[in-house]
Amino acid sequence: MKGRGRVACLLAISILSGAVWAAPDSFVVQATSTTQQQIKDKENEKENIKDKLDQEQDNLEGLKGEQGDLQKELKNLNANLSQVVANLEDLEQQVLDKEAQIQETQAALEEARETEKWQQECMVDRVRLMYENRNQNVGSALLKEKSLSDMLNAADYYESIAAYEQKMLEEFKANRILIEEQEARLVAEKAELDNLKAAAEAEKSRVAGLISQTSNSIAQYAGQISEAEQRALQYEADLKKAEEDLEALWEKLRTELALSQAAANATWRDISEVNFAEDDLYLLANLIYCEAGGEPYAGQLAVGSVVINRVLSSKYPDTVLGVIYQNKQFSPVASGRLALALAENKATPKCYQAAQEAMSGVTNVGTCVYFRTPIEGLTGINIGGHVFY
């Protein structure tokens, strides 16, 4: 019963210690993380953020370039629209002028037609009168003349009047035809101007549509650029934070190295001076299982040796229990894995053998008091997947 009570006590200590360790700590990431793993993870995170920042900056540069091209295009479109509007206004004025000319020509044509009609009516009236009054016809009029000379003069007079009237009629007809031709030409010119005006209006509508579309595109790019700039700023902030965290982790590692060196230079007890508690073997074997259960035996012995080295060093607690549950030292304590292992006695016979050998004073890592997965720039004793220092 006494042994079981001791195990229950260890479990309670393990659970309580895990609760303390589970408190927020910027240096503790995962249950099995070490400072090195945290550094490696943080370096990967930093590189990932940097890659995203580079991509976002490239994207931002591309967006700004495309927006600049659209702004140039918009400037050209506005200039084009101004020219189209000017051309359209000129065409509209030409159409108005042409309509005025057509109206004037139509008025002149109406007058010419009236004049031609009047001339024809006059000639018709004279002919009708001549037939109605036979005694007053030209022949009778000529016979009444006193002499042949007067008769000939009268005949010439009547002939000249008829010729004049015929001439005037022909001139009126010619003038009317000329005016009709002028009207037809003006109407044709107006039709051509109307077509040009319609084409100009269509071009104005097209360019205005392009301006609207380009303006909308520029606005969209402005929104995308704003979003990209915000993302870039966030990436820069994240990168700065990652660099700060990484520096803190390196500082922690430097501190651990300094502590390791200090421990090596501290006062050391002999293994014979240590009074091990009843369940220290059980506790140490299960910690070895959690930290190096998948390592070869040498790696398991090395983990046990680190714990015992701390017990022997004046820089650390002088009991196995105190060393293992010292705040923020062994990640299985923080994660709760040690509590689970203790509850089910997960330690293998090899783990017990390593714990027993370490407690007897055997060490294969000298006076090392730290271990972790290898990291560039950290020298020590490499055994299995750990470096001991």
Side-chain angles (χ1 to χ4, degrees), residues 298-344:
Q300 295 175 357
L301 175 60
V303 170
S305 298
V306 165
V307 173
I308 300 304
N309 284 343
R310 290 191 179 194
V311 173
L312 297 177
S313 171
S314 61
K315 295 291 184 179
Y316 294 93
D318 59 0
T319 64
V320 172
L321 181 69
V323 166
I324 292 177
Y325 288 106
Q326 187 178 8
N327 190 29
K328 299 179 182 178
Q329 297 300 306
F330 295 95
S331 60
V333 176
S335 67
R337 290 179 62 232
L338 178 59
L340 292 175
L342 290 170
E344 301 177 11

Side-chain angles (χ1 to χ4, degrees), residues 94-346:
Q94 291 184 48
V95 169
L96 292 175
D97 294 342
K98 196 63 67 176
E99 288 175 344
Q101 293 176 16
I102 290 174
Q103 289 178 355
E104 292 175 1
T105 302
Q106 287 175 339
L109 179 60
E110 185 63 26
E111 183 180 354
R113 285 171 177 166
E114 290 296 328
T115 302
E116 182 184 358
K117 180 181 179 182
W118 173 81
Q119 181 66 24
Q120 287 177 334
E121 289 175 350
C122 288
M123 292 180 67
V124 169
D125 287 342
R126 288 188 183 91
V127 172
R128 180 176 55 77
L129 289 172
M130 289 175 64
Y131 277 100
E132 288 178 353
N133 189 1
R134 293 180 181 275
N135 293 326
Q136 295 299 321
N137 60 23
V138 177
S140 299
L142 290 174
L143 291 174
K144 289 181 179 181
E145 297 296 331
K146 297 179 179 181
S147 65
L148 181 59
S149 176
D150 291 337
M151 184 183 297
L152 291 174
N153 287 335
D156 288 339
Y157 173 72
Y158 284 117
E159 184 178 354
S160 65
I161 290 175
Y164 174 75
E165 289 181 346
Q166 185 64 37
K167 177 184 177 184
M168 291 302 296
L169 179 60
E170 294 299 327
E171 286 180 358
F172 290 148
K173 286 182 178 180
N175 185 55
R176 187 255 305 162
I177 292 172
L178 182 63
I179 294 174
E180 286 178 346
E181 290 175 349
Q182 183 178 3
E183 180 191 32
R185 176 176 59 78
L186 289 173
V187 170
E189 290 176 354
K190 180 180 179 298
E192 183 178 354
L193 287 173
D194 286 339
N195 290 334
L196 291 174
K197 178 183 174 183
E201 288 175 342
E203 179 65 10
K204 176 185 175 182
S205 178
R206 185 187 72 83
V207 175
L210 288 175
I211 287 175
S212 177
Q213 180 180 351
T214 304
S215 298
N216 290 337
S217 296
I218 290 174
Q220 290 176 358
Y221 273 107
Q224 294 176 18
I225 287 172
S226 178
E227 292 174 359
E229 287 175 340
Q230 291 300 317
R231 288 194 297 270
L233 288 174
Q234 186 59 54
Y235 286 140
E236 288 175 354
D238 292 344
L239 183 60
K240 181 179 179 181
K241 180 64 167 54
E243 289 173 344
E244 291 173 351
D245 290 346
L246 190 59
E247 178 58 30
L249 289 170
W250 277 108
E251 181 60 30
K252 181 186 178 186
L253 182 59
R254 287 191 288 270
T255 299
E256 289 179 355
L257 291 172
L259 289 173
S260 177
Q261 185 62 41
N265 297 330
T267 303
W268 286 73
R269 293 186 296 168
D270 186 77
I271 192 67
S272 62
E273 300 177 48
V274 178
N275 294 316
F276 290 106
E278 179 182 355
D279 291 312
D280 283 350
L281 177 63
Y282 180 79
L283 176 60
L284 181 57
N286 278 279
L287 177 69
I288 291 172
Y289 168 80
C290 292
E291 293 281 12
E295 295 289 321
Y297 178 74
Q300 295 175 357
L301 175 60
V303 170
S305 298
V306 165
V307 173
I308 300 304
N309 284 343
R310 290 191 179 194
V311 173
L312 297 177
S313 171
S314 61
K315 295 291 184 179
Y316 294 93
D318 59 0
T319 64
V320 172
L321 181 69
V323 166
I324 292 177
Y325 288 106
Q326 187 178 8
N327 190 29
K328 299 179 182 178
Q329 297 300 306
F330 295 95
S331 60
V333 176
S335 67
R337 290 179 62 232
L338 178 59
L340 292 175
L342 290 170
E344 301 177 11
N345 191 19
K346 291 285 189 177

